[in-house]
Amino acid sequence: MNEQALFCDGTAAYVIPAEPKEREMVRLRFRTAKDDIDCVRLITGNVGYDMEKESSRGLFDYYTINWKLGEEPFSYCFQVEKGEELCYYGRCGVSKERKIFYDFRIVPGFSTPDWAKGAVMYQIFTDRFYNGDPSNDVEDREYYYIGGYSSRVKDWNKYPAAMGVREFYGGDLQGVIEKLDYLQDLGVEVLYFNPLFVSPSNHKYDIQDYDYIDPHYGAIVDDGGEVLPEGVTENRQATKYQRRTGSFKNLEASNELFIQLVEELHRRGMKIILDGVFNHCGSFNKWMDRERIYEGQDTYEPGAYVSADSPYRSYFRFFQEEPGAWPYNGNYDGWWGHDTLPKLNYEDSTKLENYILQIGRKWVSPPYNVDGWRLDVAADLGRSNEYNHYFWKKFRQAVKDANPNALILAEHYGDPGEWLQGDEWDTVMNYDAFMEPVTWFLTGMEKHSDEAREELLGNADNFVGSIQHHMANMLTPSLQVAMNELSNHDHSRFLTRTNHIVGRVEHLGPEAAEAYVNPAVMREAVVMQMTWPGAPTVYYGDEAGVCGFTDPDNRRTYPWGHEDQEMLSFHKEMIRIHKEFPALRTGSLKLLCWDENILAYGRFLEEPIIVIINNRSELAEVTVPVWCAEVAQRCRMVRLMYSYLDGYTMEYEEYLVRNGDLVVNMGAHSALVLKAIDES
């Protein structure tokens, strides 16, 4: 039996239709070598059903069976027989025994938005992207937060401070609007923003008001008041901040600017995803008002910190509830014990639950028309796993009822399978099934740069085993929209990981993040990012060569006028290649061969794309069985991209396939992307 020829996955070539509805007839396909197999059976439960040979094409036979789905998830694998030989085929390929964990799975009625499948996303940490409106910049001593005053950074190129949560460079939505031509020229299709709602920090994961865009990112049309005098730390005297973030003129003007941004993105055919922080809010939040910035404003109800009679008291869990605990009751539940991050008390407040569900609907509905949510620490919401699942089911229904094409994407570490059953999240930030395996394989570094593991550097067996296992935890519609990042605001920059320096900025200094980096390894990673199943997501500045240890150092400003032009051009070309070939958006993935620091795989749908990675520091001859990815046994292939130690080239070059194999010489730290030439 030719086991290399056996193939199936959950893509549209093997599940027809790819996202079937409840009680719909679905056609399932399976591939074998031509005239090689006696019998293929579909196995579901403990019962086998014979499949019929549907067609032959090239080197392969295709077997099919029609199956009427019900309302429940449908799990299956394949049993293949030839003479005395018998094997099973599931999500991780061929095995001698059935492995039920790796069965294929279809959830009738579950689909993810087509626009998000393989979409090129771009993550923007707004304060550090571009300052388009200096009039809304945070002022020095505008308020006091976590042991210090807010500060306005005058030097755009300054490294972020070690405790940089309250320093602001001035990036804003107007800056994004002014750079949309740049983003579109880069090839970006979707913008994902770190939180934009009113918040005192530059990261804005401590929401102050879920109903409005922060005027420091939006528009300040009603300014006034005073900053805090030196030595004063009580924010009830921060009248400038109170006016800027509490005046409805500013809040409404900021929402209007946001609407303009969304409309312009949609006019350009682009999409937008907002960050939803619903597990906790901030101590500045108008519902809590620990900082007493709303206490004196007639247009706001008293916060739960201020008054026992607050309409928001049930939104939080207070540990001391006797009458004498108020006013100014600081004994409440904070996320991970942080009193600046009050945990929201869903189980005891239906009113809070309904409010957050309304927020979920509001921003994906007119006039805002956002295209999706990224959910911060989504698995932490609530105090129990049972409530967590209950809430996300309701959230999905609320958001999808308002905008059926909205994407629901969650931050999650570890196995996300229990949330990806088709009735909660659409997908995840793809740490386990992309960022981590790629990082270990290419750099041997942990994603925070906190650890180096020599045994994982170039360990292709570990890469293949890890990535296949974690991909098997996701339904195909989830996998195709998963956010594949190399870097983001929570981890070190990938380019910094290529220097193999372990540590953080507070011990090593920011300059160490730029020392001894290897751009060729970064280009290898970008090739994988742009050719792997999922939505490749560029963290702002990665395309320009920005370095940085884990946060806050990874939140450096975009280096306008000082970009690494070669890295920028390389990103642009790889994004173009990704968008040009349908196989790279929704095609099948077949791992073809691997060895120490060597990896080759194919993506195929209408025409096959072959990717070869040599992460060794010396030349390597690699023989790739490209026929497994439906490349003809004898044909020519043409180079789309070749990245090597000193640069990259897209110059036309042909490669010969003989007897289904491609033999190539790969330079040190190189990546090669090829397509077959149509000779029909």
Side-chain angles (χ1 to χ4, degrees):
M1 183 189 302
N2 187 341
E3 293 185 357
Q4 281 185 293
L6 304 180
F7 186 76
C8 179
D9 63 11
T11 64
Y14 293 90
V15 178
I16 307 161
E19 296 175 329
K21 299 178 173 60
E22 294 178 349
R23 295 179 293 280
E24 186 170 5
M25 186 70 74
V26 63
R27 184 154 53 103
L28 304 174
R29 301 177 82 213
F30 187 79
R31 190 189 83 179
T32 72
K34 188 176 177 66
D35 300 327
D36 185 52
I37 298 302
D38 295 334
C39 177
V40 180
R41 289 189 180 91
L42 176 79
I43 308 294
T44 179
N46 294 315
V47 183
Y49 300 87
D50 288 349
M51 301 177 68
E52 295 183 358
K53 186 187 293 188
E54 173 198 50
S55 61
S56 298
R57 188 176 73 247
L59 300 172
F60 305 107
D61 289 334
Y62 296 88
Y63 289 77
T64 65
I65 188 170
N66 293 327
W67 192 269
K68 180 69 176 293
L69 297 173
E71 297 181 3
E72 298 301 313
F74 175 60
S75 297
Y76 62 97
C77 69
F78 300 94
Q79 184 186 76
V80 187
E81 296 181 20
K82 179 180 182 179
E84 298 297 315
E85 295 180 80
L86 183 147
C87 69
Y88 295 88
Y89 196 97
R91 286 293 303 269
C92 283
V94 177
S95 59
K96 294 305 179 185
E97 297 179 353
R98 184 182 177 191
K99 298 180 179 179
I100 294 176
F101 181 84
Y102 294 123
D103 274 4
F104 294 100
R105 199 156 179 269
I106 297 171
V107 174
F110 174 58
S111 64
T112 54
D114 286 341
W115 63 261
K117 291 180 171 70
V120 179
M121 300 186 181
Y122 189 90
Q123 178 183 350
I124 295 180
F125 192 90
T126 306
D127 182 61
R128 309 296 161 82
F129 186 63
Y130 187 67
N131 188 348
D133 179 10
S135 72
N136 63 16
D137 289 1
V138 173
E139 297 291 344
D140 291 337
R141 300 197 319 279
E142 193 172 316
Y143 55 94
Y144 190 85
Y145 189 42
I146 314 182
Y149 293 109
S150 65
S151 65
R152 179 180 183 178
V153 177
K154 310 299 192 298
D155 178 5
W156 182 258
N157 299 312
K158 183 186 87 69
Y159 292 121
M163 181 52 187
V165 66
R166 53 186 177 264
E167 68 172 8
F168 292 84
Y169 288 71
D172 49 33
L173 295 187
Q174 183 60 41
V176 175
I177 291 171
E178 292 179 17
K179 293 298 183 181
L180 287 180
D181 286 348
Y182 163 78
L183 293 169
Q184 195 165 26
D185 184 57
L186 182 61
V188 171
E189 297 171 300
V190 183
L191 295 187
Y192 153 51
F193 285 90
N194 288 106
L196 297 176
F197 304 123
V198 184
S199 309
S201 67
N202 52 43
H203 58 68
K204 302 206 177 298
Y205 285 96
D206 43 5
I207 305 296
Q208 183 173 325
D209 191 334
Y210 290 93
D211 281 297
Y212 295 100
I213 301 298
D214 195 313
H216 295 100
Y217 284 178
I220 295 175
V221 296
D222 177 22
D223 210 352
E226 301 296 329
V227 300
L228 289 171
E230 191 67 51
V232 174
T233 61
E234 293 183 353
N235 284 317
R236 59 181 174 165
Q237 296 186 44
T239 54
K240 177 178 277 285
Y241 184 77
Q242 292 171 20
R243 185 163 178 177
R244 285 181 153 195
T245 62
S247 165
F248 285 102
K249 291 181 180 179
N250 294 331
L251 297 171
E252 288 163 5
S254 297
N255 281 9
E256 282 298 319
L257 182 65
F258 179 75
I259 292 169
Q260 293 175 33
L261 169 62
V262 176
E263 289 177 346
E264 179 59 22
L265 285 170
H266 288 167
R267 187 186 71 78
R268 293 168 179 254
M270 300 168 75
K271 305 287 186 181
I272 177 172
I273 295 172
L274 287 185
D275 209 320
V277 189
F278 302 133
N279 167 69
H280 56 272
C281 63
S283 57
F284 279 60
N285 191 283
K286 63 184 178 184
W287 301 332
M288 175 63 80
D289 199 20
R290 184 186 175 99
E291 302 295 325
R292 301 171 64 187
I293 60 174
Y294 294 102
E295 185 178 4
Q297 299 190 47
D298 295 337
T299 50
Y300 291 91
E301 298 275 11
Y305 171 81
V306 174
S307 171
D309 298 323
S310 168
Y312 312 119
R313 177 173 164 178
S314 67
Y315 288 21
F316 307 97
R317 189 182 185 195
F318 287 92
F319 299 124
Q320 292 184 14
E321 295 198 299
E322 60 273 13
W326 278 275
Y328 317 131
N329 186 350
N331 295 289
Y332 55 81
D333 188 13
W335 186 53
W336 287 75
H338 296 292
D339 63 1
T340 56
L341 300 174
K343 186 164 174 61
L344 293 172
N345 183 34
Y346 289 93
E347 283 91 336
D348 297 329
S349 181
T350 302
K351 183 180 174 184
L352 168 65
E353 178 183 282
N354 289 335
Y355 198 103
I356 294 297
L357 293 175
Q358 180 267 328
I359 290 294
R361 287 189 295 266
K362 170 181 175 174
W363 290 96
V364 300
S365 303
Y368 305 105
N369 297 313
V370 163
D371 300 292
W373 285 104
R374 178 266 190 188
L375 307 173
D376 184 59
V377 294
D380 285 11
L381 185 138
R383 295 198 298 273
S384 71
N385 209 41
E386 292 74 22
Y387 180 80
N388 184 275
H389 287 295
Y390 163 82
F391 178 84
W392 291 126
K393 286 178 172 67
K394 293 192 73 170
F395 185 86
R396 180 182 184 84
Q397 184 176 353
V399 169
K400 296 287 185 174
D401 283 350
N403 182 350
N405 258 330
L407 181 69
I408 300 174
L409 183 155
E411 176 194 29
H412 186 71
Y413 296 87
D415 180 2
E418 62 184 290
W419 290 272
L420 297 180
Q421 301 296 310
D423 57 354
E424 297 183 46
W425 311 336
D426 282 327
T427 191
V428 292
M429 301 180 77
N430 205 7
Y431 294 130
D432 285 39
F434 185 76
M435 182 191 280
E436 288 203 9
V438 170
T439 292
W440 287 121
F441 177 64
L442 293 180
T443 72
M445 295 288 289
E446 189 269 339
K447 61 184 178 294
H448 289 280
S449 291
D450 280 345
E451 180 185 11
R453 294 183 60 182
E454 189 67 28
E455 77 277 13
L456 295 183
L457 174 59
N459 187 331
D461 286 336
N462 178 78
F463 171 84
V464 170
S466 174
I467 209 160
Q468 283 189 324
H469 171 78
H470 290 297
M471 288 173 73
N473 288 331
M474 284 190 264
L475 300 168
T476 298
S478 297
L479 197 61
Q480 291 176 335
V481 299
M483 184 180 276
N484 290 347
E485 293 189 297
L486 297 172
S487 320
N488 65 21
H489 64 290
D490 282 328
H491 306 96
S492 59
R493 295 272 183 171
F494 188 92
L495 185 55
T496 287
R497 282 175 236 151
T498 69
N499 68 10
H500 305 119
I501 295 176
V502 174
R504 300 203 171 195
V505 67
E506 57 265 36
H507 305 297
L508 300 170
E511 293 83 0
E514 304 161 13
Y516 313 115
V517 296
N518 189 335
V521 175
M522 176 77 182
R523 291 194 297 272
E524 290 177 65
V526 173
V527 167
M528 294 185 69
Q529 181 183 42
M530 295 298 162
T531 57
W532 201 261
T537 304
V538 178
Y539 183 43
Y540 81 102
D542 265 13
E543 77 277 22
V546 173
C547 296
F549 291 112
T550 202
D551 65 275
D553 197 39
N554 55 15
R555 302 168 184 180
R556 300 181 185 187
T557 53
Y558 186 99
W560 299 107
H562 304 282
E563 301 91 337
D564 177 336
Q565 291 296 335
E566 183 176 67
M567 188 65 75
L568 180 57
S569 297
F570 182 76
H571 273 80
K572 193 177 299 186
E573 295 297 344
M574 280 310 307
I575 289 171
R576 178 189 57 77
I577 290 169
H578 171 85
K579 292 166 66 176
E580 184 176 340
F581 296 98
L584 297 179
R585 287 191 186 266
T586 57
S588 297
L589 168 73
K590 175 71 172 174
L591 293 165
L592 300 175
C593 65
W594 57 92
D595 197 355
E596 182 186 355
N597 275 301
I598 299 289
L599 177 70
Y601 55 91
R603 299 292 308 280
F604 47 100
L605 184 61
E606 295 172 2
E607 56 183 325
I609 301 294
I610 302 298
V611 180
I612 308 168
I613 304 292
N614 173 25
N615 196 43
R616 297 175 182 173
S617 55
E618 67 274 342
L619 182 75
E621 182 182 271
V622 184
T623 300
V624 184
V626 295
W627 66 271
C628 297
E630 304 187 355
V631 175
Q633 267 198 305
R634 187 177 181 87
C635 68
R636 293 175 297 152
M637 302 198 78
V638 64
R639 178 169 69 192
L640 300 175
M641 172 64 74
Y642 178 57
S643 172
Y644 53 97
L645 198 58
D646 298 323
Y648 70 92
T649 181
M650 294 175 295
E651 289 183 8
Y652 187 90
E653 184 165 332
E654 292 184 1
Y655 298 76
L656 299 179
V657 176
R658 294 294 179 261
N659 298 318
D661 288 340
L662 174 71
V663 181
V664 293
N665 287 313
M666 298 286 295
H669 294 299
S670 63
L672 179 63
V673 184
L674 303 164
K675 74 165 186 174
I677 297 176
D678 185 0
E679 298 180 304
S680 58

